[in-house]
Amino acid sequence: MLQDFLSLLFPEICHACDQPLARGEHYICTECNVKLPYTDLHVHGATELNYLQQRFWGKVPVRFAFSYLHFRSKGRVQRVLHKLKYKGAQELGEHLGKRYGALLYDHGYAAHFDLIVPVPLHRLKLRRRGYNQSEGFAKGLAEALQVPWSSKVLERAVDTDSQTKKSRLDRWQNVEQVFLVKQAEEVKGKRILLVDDVLTTGATLEACAHALLQHGCSEVSVTTIAAA
Ligand SMILES: [Zn+2]
């Protein structure tokens, strides 16, 4: 009864529409779960239909490129990403990772990955924010796919501002300067699934993929929560 009373006073809010959640709903309400703009790219696999994969053509070999959602600058997806990044909703990332991981698992992708690696934040930004918003998503994916994950493999050595990612990264002609592989022995011969929150130009994921491939990882795939 106390729980019911408290939830009347402080209802849990849907991270996508800001409406109170009903009993039994968690993080995202049923209506939003139905209406979120899913890409369904995992259904097509590595084919010409996969426009995300095309962004890496001629830059870095990417086995699979997926995104859970289409990025929208207004509405549900924008709210979800904002909460994930700035409102401390770490568990939301894990929740989304579990949901998407279950879909990927059902389509047989678990057998394609040996290790899941989130794109790291620079240590100063990590200290400011308190958490890496991509890490929860990676953790949820890892749990659903039953594949190990690690946030110790990569380090972001250069503090690129997320707002101007592309131009800032472009200035670093040598992309290995931005991301360093800290545990080369963990990377060697592995098929790695790289995980980030949002894919826009793909420059960040590209830089990470280069670093991993240079240290002997056998194959890189990428996935994000949302892709523009
Ligand atoms: Zn909702």
Side-chain angles (χ1 to χ4, degrees):
M1 235 172 92
L2 178 66
Q3 193 57 50
D4 284 352
F5 180 64
L6 284 174
S7 66
L8 269 180
L9 288 179
F10 309 105
E12 232 192 298
I13 299 295
C14 170
H15 289 297
C17 69
D18 289 334
Q19 297 301 306
L21 288 172
R23 192 192 286 217
E25 290 178 341
H26 300 289
Y27 304 105
I28 292 173
C29 75
T30 308
E31 191 187 342
C32 287
N33 271 330
V34 171
K35 290 187 175 168
L36 280 169
Y38 301 104
T39 69
D40 290 331
L41 280 171
H42 59 279
V43 178
H44 304 302
T47 69
E48 70 280 4
L49 287 171
N50 191 327
Y51 59 89
L52 283 188
Q53 214 154 13
Q54 292 178 9
R55 289 192 204 168
F56 299 97
W57 284 1
K59 293 172 182 166
V60 69
V62 164
R63 177 80 172 93
F64 297 107
F66 303 125
S67 177
Y68 191 26
L69 305 169
H70 290 291
F71 180 76
R72 302 267 193 272
S73 56
K74 287 198 170 74
R76 290 183 169 90
V77 176
Q78 204 265 344
R79 266 183 228 120
V80 165
L81 291 171
H82 183 81
K83 277 166 195 170
L84 189 72
K85 217 161 172 174
Y86 302 109
K87 302 284 179 187
Q90 277 173 280
E91 291 175 359
L92 173 62
E94 202 175 326
H95 170 74
L96 295 170
K98 280 184 200 163
R99 284 186 67 100
Y100 195 38
L103 281 178
L104 294 177
Y105 186 90
D106 287 346
H107 280 79
Y109 287 106
H112 288 286
F113 312 125
D114 304 309
L115 183 67
I116 298 176
V117 174
V119 169
L121 291 181
H122 189 264
R123 60 187 165 74
L124 294 178
K125 190 173 266 180
L126 183 63
R127 201 180 300 158
R128 253 196 326 270
R129 189 173 294 164
Y131 64 97
N132 175 358
Q133 74 279 4
S134 299
E135 209 172 286
F137 190 56
K139 198 175 162 193
L141 284 168
E143 194 181 315
L145 287 165
Q146 295 165 38
V147 170
W149 74 285
S150 173
S151 58
K152 308 251 187 291
V153 165
L154 277 178
E155 181 187 302
R156 191 189 287 248
V158 179
D159 192 9
T160 48
D161 179 33
S162 58
Q163 294 304 311
T164 53
K165 220 173 250 174
K166 177 95 167 76
S167 57
R168 297 287 289 273
L169 277 179
D170 278 350
R171 264 182 250 161
W172 297 85
Q173 295 195 328
N174 201 351
V175 288
E176 306 98 87
Q177 289 177 312
V178 180
F179 293 100
L180 303 175
V181 173
K182 300 302 285 180
Q183 297 180 329
E185 71 282 1
E186 290 295 318
V187 162
K188 221 162 230 117
K190 299 247 174 89
R191 298 162 304 165
I192 293 178
L193 177 62
L194 260 175
V195 173
D196 207 357
D197 54 348
V198 185
L199 191 158
T200 47
T201 64
T204 306
L205 287 161
E206 185 192 328
C208 288
H210 270 299
L212 291 169
L213 288 164
Q214 266 163 8
H215 284 81
C217 104
S218 67
E219 187 178 283
V220 173
S221 296
V222 301
T223 190
T224 56
I225 297 172

